Amino acid sequence: MHPQVPPGSGQRLKFILDRQDHFDGEVRIDIVGLPAGFAAASPVVIAAGHIEATRVIRSSRLAPEPKPKQEDWLQVAVLASTSVNGELVTKTVGHLCEIKRLQPATVRIRLVPDDLKSLSAHGGLVILWRSMITAKGTGERNGFGGVIKVDVNNLPHGVIVENLGLSGLLIRAKETKR
């Protein structure tokens, strides 16, 4: 695993569980100790009965100074926690390799709620139980003129994206929102 992340953007990380001994419970994965200039959507929760989940690791628009060294990346820990027979069990399951910063992405997408009260302090969407919000996909085109296809993946159980049509969310050529 050698993720590469454009500044001001993110890259998906997939976590796959190897379930053993008939264990079928929920597992929480935390990514801790990321160097300055990087952030991860954490925790990652792999629901009971499931074997995988994805999250995003992000790089700030500004390059961190000083640039993280290989030793800094060795300090990043991936921790898995679950309840076994009523007791919390946490184990270190690995480390992230060094993450390289790429050139700026040709396309950067954000989901922006129509009601800004549905925007969290960290830029995520807040959806209350048994409620609905509307949001627009906005695209920042850094020289890209084609159609942008936006997928919405790895939503919590019970969260449904409606009214996307057969092709999903498409931002047409030369447009910046949909």
Side-chain angles (χ1 to χ4, degrees), residues 69-139:
K69 298 179 177 106
Q70 188 172 8
E71 306 87 66
D72 298 327
W73 290 107
L74 292 174
Q75 300 303 311
V76 179
V78 180
L79 307 173
S81 303
T82 192
S83 177
V84 177
N85 296 326
E87 290 194 34
L88 180 66
V89 176
T90 300
K91 293 189 180 241
T92 300
V93 294
H95 300 275
L96 291 180
C97 295
E98 182 177 358
I99 297 172
K100 303 280 186 195
R101 285 176 54 101
L102 297 173
Q103 296 299 314
T106 55
V107 174
R108 189 169 158 239
I109 300 295
R110 290 185 54 220
L111 288 176
V112 180
D114 292 331
D115 181 353
L116 294 180
K117 287 186 265 180
S118 298
L119 189 63
S120 77
H122 302 291
L125 300 179
V126 176
I127 306 170
L128 299 176
W129 174 252
R130 293 189 175 195
S131 68
M132 181 183 288
I133 67 168
T134 56
K136 289 184 179 64
T138 63

Side-chain angles (χ1 to χ4, degrees), residues 53-68:
T54 57
R55 281 300 182 265
V56 173
I57 187 158
R58 296 179 315 278
S59 171
S60 68
R61 283 186 177 261
L62 304 173
E65 293 296 332
K67 180 182 171 190

Side-chain angles (χ1 to χ4, degrees), residues 21-34:
D21 298 328
H22 305 288
F23 176 75
D24 204 27
E26 178 178 286
V27 176
R28 173 187 167 132
I29 299 171
D30 289 282
I31 303 167
V32 296
L34 284 168

